[in-house]
């Protein structure tokens, strides 16, 4: 993912671990200069915006983990550059209203689109028809990023039992590849008075539609997204999609 210098928007005042080892949580808290709090304490408004750290899907399966004051959900890497990477991810999270950065494997296990919608609906009242539009667009964008982006699984060329079997087989095989399963998925939401912008990014090989507009991009779900979003823009060579919705 392209690393841009983010402008501050959200100030985190506490760190919450979701089924993450206490020693690792303490180390991350020291890196970020944030106090770590237990679940009950993290739910108090006095703590302001809270950053949640994950180690796999455990602890994030409860819908309460996606409610205020938690505004960002990050799965720290265990690589040698863990500290600067987490610092950048936290700065990036602070530049938007909601931020998620997880591995492909964790995002897939969590059925992430529904979690994002839960977090969003808890902060902004959504009319039923707009909620349906957002859920559809989130599902398509996140599924595309996971399946076609990070896992590099080709879409079904036709609706047939043979193609479905091939697609399912490829999906299982690619998810079993530890390199691909550890690729990152990023979701960033920016709220405005009468609109919101959602960006979904992956670490795949990129994608460009045949035409400059998003319509007609068969197999990527962009046609469907374009019917419900007010605008759709592809960035970073197709690794990032930005969708805007009026509210």
């Amino acid at each position: 993912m392209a690393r841009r210098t983010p402008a501050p928007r959200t100030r985190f005042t506490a760190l919450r671990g979701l089924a993450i080892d206490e020693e690792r949580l303490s180390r991350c808290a020291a890196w970020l200069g944030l106090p770590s709090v237990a679940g009950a304490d993290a739910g108090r408004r006095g703590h302001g915006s809270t950053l949640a750290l994950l180690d796999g899907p455990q602890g994030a399966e409860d819908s309460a983990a996606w409610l205020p004051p938690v505004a960002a959900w990050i799965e720290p890497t265990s690589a040698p550059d863990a500290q600067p990477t987490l610092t950048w991810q936290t700065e990036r999270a602070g530049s938007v209203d909601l931020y998620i950065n997880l591995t492909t494997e964790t995002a897939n296990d969590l059925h992430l689109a529904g979690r994002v919608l839960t977090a969003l609906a808890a902060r902004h009242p959504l009319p039923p028809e707009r909620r349906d539009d957002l859920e559809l667009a989130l599902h398509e964008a996140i599924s595309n990023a996971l399946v076609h982006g990070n896992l590099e699984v080709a879409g079904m060329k036709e609706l047939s039992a043979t193609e479905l079997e091939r697609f399912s087989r490829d999906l299982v095989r690619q998810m079993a590849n530890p390199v691909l399963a550890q690729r990152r998925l990023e979701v960033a939401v920016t709220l405005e008075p009468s609109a919101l912008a959602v960006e979904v990014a992956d670490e795949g090989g990129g994608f460009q539609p045949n035409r400059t507009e998003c319509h007609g991009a068969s197999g990527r779900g962009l046609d469907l997204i374009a019917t419900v979003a007010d605008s759709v823009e592809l960035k970073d060579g197709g690794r990032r999609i930005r969708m805007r919705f009026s509210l």
Side-chain angles (χ1 to χ4, degrees), residues 12-18 25 35-53 64-73 123:
F12 296 105
T13 57
L15 194 65
R16 176 184 175 187
L18 298 178
L25 179 63
S36 60
V37 295
D41 290 335
R44 295 175 185 164
R45 293 286 178 178
H47 279 299
S49 293
T50 300
L51 166 63
L53 297 186
W66 298 87
L67 301 178
V70 182
W73 300 260
R123 290 163 174 79

Side-chain angles (χ1 to χ4, degrees), residues 28-214:
C28 292
W31 289 346
L32 299 175
L34 293 174
S36 60
V37 295
D41 290 335
R44 295 175 185 164
R45 293 286 178 178
H47 279 299
S49 293
T50 300
L51 166 63
L53 297 186
L54 293 73
D55 185 14
Q58 299 82 9
E61 296 165 330
D62 186 348
S63 60
W66 298 87
L67 301 178
V70 182
W73 300 260
I74 296 174
E75 186 175 9
T77 178
S78 57
D81 65 343
Q83 181 174 357
T85 296
L86 180 60
T87 299
W88 175 83
Q89 290 168 339
T90 303
E91 290 173 350
R92 167 71 170 134
S95 71
V96 295
D97 293 292
L98 295 173
Y99 183 77
I100 300 100
N101 193 306
L102 308 174
T103 63
T104 295
E105 186 175 23
T106 296
N108 181 69
D109 288 346
L110 283 174
H111 304 289
L112 189 57
R115 311 295 181 184
V116 177
L117 191 62
T118 296
L120 179 58
R123 290 163 174 79
H124 197 293
L126 299 173
E129 66 279 3
R130 191 85 290 197
R131 183 186 177 100
D132 291 343
D133 289 344
L134 281 165
E135 185 171 16
L136 176 60
L138 281 168
H139 175 78
E140 289 296 328
I142 291 174
S143 177
N144 286 341
L146 291 176
V147 176
H148 304 304
N150 285 349
L151 295 179
E152 301 179 2
V153 175
M156 293 176 58
K157 296 180 176 61
E158 59 183 29
L159 294 176
S160 68
T162 300
E163 265 296 276
L164 178 58
E165 182 180 357
R166 190 275 309 165
F167 178 82
S168 301
R169 184 176 60 250
D170 288 353
L171 192 59
V172 171
R173 184 184 67 249
Q174 296 294 80
M175 187 66 80
N177 182 325
V179 174
L180 300 183
Q182 291 302 303
R183 282 179 170 175
R184 313 296 296 196
L185 176 89
E186 179 190 86
V187 180
V189 180
T190 303
L191 286 165
E192 303 169 5
S194 59
L196 66 87
V198 183
E199 290 190 4
V200 177
D202 62 64
E203 294 184 330
F207 169 78
Q208 290 293 343
N210 292 328
R211 301 200 302 271
T212 55
E213 65 270 26
C214 290

